[in-house]
Amino acid sequence: QVHLVQSGAEVKKPGASVKVSCKASGYTFTAYWIHWARQAPGQGLEWMGWIDPRGGGTQYAQNFQGRVTMTRDTSISTTYMELSGLTSDDMAVYFCARGRAVAGTRSWDYWGQGTLVTVS
Amino acid sequence: DIQLTQSPSFLSASVGDRVTITCRASQGISSYLAWYQQKPGKAPKLLIYGASILESGVPSRFSGSGSGTEFTLTISSLQPEDFATYYCQQLDSYPRTFGQGTKLEIK
């Protein structure tokens, strides 16, 4: 069965960086893109970007350009999302999700459990 | 960017009720729309993709319809476990965007 398991909660100072991991299992890691999204307390979902685990290609949302970096380590089926220059506005739960890309099935079918990032 | 507007934002209903949530896109997105259910402290769960295709394992009381700019999610007979927040998401273009959510509460 497919699982995405994220790293644990983080507490960071303003101006610091955070790196969240997302370990995949139960499927061929390089066959699906991984998307990252976040959810501030009591708010909706905001897409941050995607990474193609096969070649490492990425696309980031305009709001995070220059501050976010997504990488992967195929040897351990893990993707990473690093966000720098943290402010209180970055306090949120960060999710990774597997993206299905075939035109008729586009959706995010499996999600990590979420990682709470506190900036204080 | 494509804006998604859900209505209503809050919905109060009883077990057994039929409820419908609407998602309107600011421009046409064909059928590239998904619906998710989220419970407090949990990750969203995929319910519907392709606007109307039920994800495997999701109860048949959930259904979706629409194309272009107007979409609906219908729950035919609410069960206690259905009280949650529902989000639509467009997968037509980047950036991927979500509706603001519809919180379904017990009346």
Side-chain angles (χ1 to χ4, degrees), chain A residues 6 9 19-20 22 30-31 35-36 39-40 42 44 50 53 58 65 71-72 74 77 80 82 102 106 110 114:
Chain A
Q6 297 182 222
K19 191 171 186 177
V20 180
C22 173
T30 53
H35 293 260
W36 289 86
Q39 187 170 39
W50 57 256
T58 58
Q65 287 280 356
T71 55
R72 93 291 190 213
T74 56
S77 300
Y80 302 91
E82 184 169 20
V102 173
R106 287 183 194 171
Y110 289 92

Side-chain angles (χ1 to χ4, degrees), chain B residues 83-106:
Chain B
F83 292 93
T85 300
Y86 293 83
Y87 293 95
C88 58
Q89 179 200 28
Q90 66 82 17
L91 300 107
D92 177 73
S93 63
Y94 288 98
R96 297 292 195 242
T97 49
F98 293 84
Q100 81 279 13
T102 295
K103 187 173 184 178
L104 179 53
E105 299 180 325
I106 301 174

Side-chain angles (χ1 to χ4, degrees), chain A residues 39 47 100 103 106 108 112, chain B residues 32 36 38 49 55 89 91:
Chain A
Q39 187 170 39
W47 177 74
R100 295 194 301 211
R106 287 183 194 171
W108 296 2
Chain B
Y32 295 122
Y36 301 87
Q38 187 179 34
Y49 63 92
E55 174 69 356
Q89 179 200 28
L91 300 107

Side-chain angles (χ1 to χ4, degrees), chain A residues 15 44 90 111:
Chain A
D90 295 314
W111 294 61

